[in-house]
Amino acid sequence: MTKRIAQVREQLSDSGLRVVDFLALHPAEASVFSAQEIADQAGVSDATVIRTVKQLGYGGLGELRRAAAAMLNQVRDPEQTLAENLTQSDDSSQLLAKISLDAAHLARALPRTVPAEAFDAAIKTLATASDTLIVGYGSAEPAAMAMSLGLRRIGRSATATALTGYNFADALGQLGPRSALVIIAPLRHVREQDVAISEAARIGCPVVLITEMLASHFADRVATVLVTPSTDDLLPGPEIANLLLVDALILGVAAADPDRALDSWKTTNRLRADIVGGNLDVPLHRSTASRAAQPRVPPDSR
């Protein structure tokens, strides 16, 4: 259903968009609601619901309900995913082309699956936070680390964690009402995410969720949900979409206070130069670089 929504999103009217947003965020309700109940929740007519169901390619409301129900317990088995990907990878000469095309598909789909209002709301949350904790486990950890580093580089206080147990409790204990919590959870729902969201709700800390398949699990408990495109039947995993979205969020936060972002980068570059005693990078000019690469001969050996 997520894939179908992404494919037709640009063709939908404003009322149709309200319907699919409700379906994506509330598959549990969509799996049992009547057309009128969906219409009431989305603020549209029941005729709009039926029309949107047909635009998604379903034969009727019953078929859509079954698709919504299938989203609820869909857990992707990494072993099975690898086995399926290997069937598409037997021709190594085409492997790079295939994965590149799939990655391009994800990049094109991302603006359709993340509504502008949700993206703007996430930027506002991050830009006004005193500090941000980003939680990401497994394949989501690199995006969490990249987001933390990117926010710090533009002058924001941010920490990423993939810890559990007491160490995770220590990290959650640092949250306050002016903090922001970001959870990157593409596919898997784990207990740590529930505890983090509950603690954020207790202290009044806003939560931004980045996910591919878990919107319905958390939508009623977090401030903002950013749904990335489906990677089902594609060679790349969710990492590419997560990193693209994280880069866009960082740039959006930087644009909210460009002077702060630029000053922070200047400080970072100054400190880096002080630490290494000059330019960190090897000169790119060929003649200079070749001289720099020549071994130094001690004066007393000449």
Side-chain angles (χ1 to χ4, degrees):
M1 189 165 73
T2 302
K3 185 183 296 185
R4 293 192 187 202
I5 290 172
Q7 289 172 342
V8 305
R9 191 174 188 89
E10 291 181 343
Q11 305 166 23
L12 297 174
S13 63
D14 289 344
S15 56
L17 288 172
R18 289 199 293 273
V19 173
V20 297
D21 286 343
F22 173 79
L23 297 177
L25 294 174
H26 304 282
E29 292 84 349
S31 67
V32 295
F33 274 10
S34 66
Q36 186 59 59
E37 288 172 318
I38 295 174
D40 291 342
Q41 293 295 318
V44 301
S45 67
D46 57 347
T48 297
V49 173
I50 297 301
R51 182 168 59 251
T52 305
V53 168
K54 291 181 179 178
Q55 285 180 281
L56 289 172
Y58 294 112
L61 191 59
E63 187 178 350
L64 178 133
R65 285 175 177 159
R66 289 189 292 274
M71 292 180 66
L72 298 175
N73 299 307
Q74 198 172 7
V75 176
R76 197 173 298 170
D77 181 354
E79 181 181 350
Q80 181 62 31
T81 299
L82 176 60
E84 293 172 357
N85 286 346
L86 289 175
T87 64
Q88 304 181 55
S89 310
D90 52 353
D91 185 354
S92 60
S93 65
Q94 298 300 316
L95 183 55
L96 182 58
K98 167 64 175 168
I99 201 167
S100 298
L101 288 173
D102 284 354
H105 170 80
L106 286 174
R108 288 193 301 270
L110 189 58
R112 298 195 296 269
T113 62
V114 179
E117 58 271 19
F119 182 74
D120 290 342
I123 289 176
K124 183 177 180 181
T125 295
L126 297 173
T128 57
S130 61
D131 57 280
T132 301
L133 175 65
I134 306 107
V135 179
Y137 295 104
S139 65
E141 184 177 357
M145 296 297 178
M147 187 174 199
S148 175
L149 176 61
L151 288 173
R152 292 198 303 272
R153 288 274 174 85
I154 60 172
R156 308 287 173 159
S157 176
T159 305
T161 183
L163 298 172
T164 61
Y166 274 115
N167 290 325
F168 187 48
D170 288 338
L172 291 180
Q174 302 306 306
L175 289 174
R178 297 182 60 241
S179 305
L181 173 65
V182 178
I183 295 181
I184 305 177
L187 306 173
R188 294 189 174 273
H189 183 172
V190 296
R191 187 179 301 277
E192 287 83 354
Q193 296 156 356
D194 287 321
V195 174
I197 291 172
S198 295
E199 178 62 12
R202 187 186 70 81
I203 62 177
C205 166
V207 182
V208 175
L209 172 70
I210 298 175
T211 186
E212 179 182 326
M213 295 178 58
L214 302 179
S216 63
H217 293 242
F218 299 113
D220 58 345
R221 303 167 57 197
V222 303
T224 307
V225 180
L226 306 178
V227 180
T228 57
S230 171
T231 56
D232 199 20
D233 299 328
L234 299 179
L235 284 180
E239 298 85 356
I240 290 176
N242 288 339
L243 289 170
L244 287 172
L245 184 53
V246 161
D247 272 355
L249 289 170
I250 292 169
L251 186 57
V253 174
D257 191 346
D259 290 339
R260 179 176 180 176
L262 291 171
D263 286 345
S264 179
W265 262 110
K266 288 176 183 177
T267 299
T268 299
N269 285 334
R270 174 179 58 79
L271 291 172
R272 185 175 67 172
D274 290 345
I275 290 168
V276 300
N279 189 5
L280 175 69
D281 302 315
V282 174
L284 295 180
H285 189 274
R286 183 174 299 174
S287 60
T288 308
S290 62
R291 287 199 301 272
Q294 292 176 355
R296 296 184 61 187
V297 180
D300 57 359
S301 67
R302 292 175 183 169

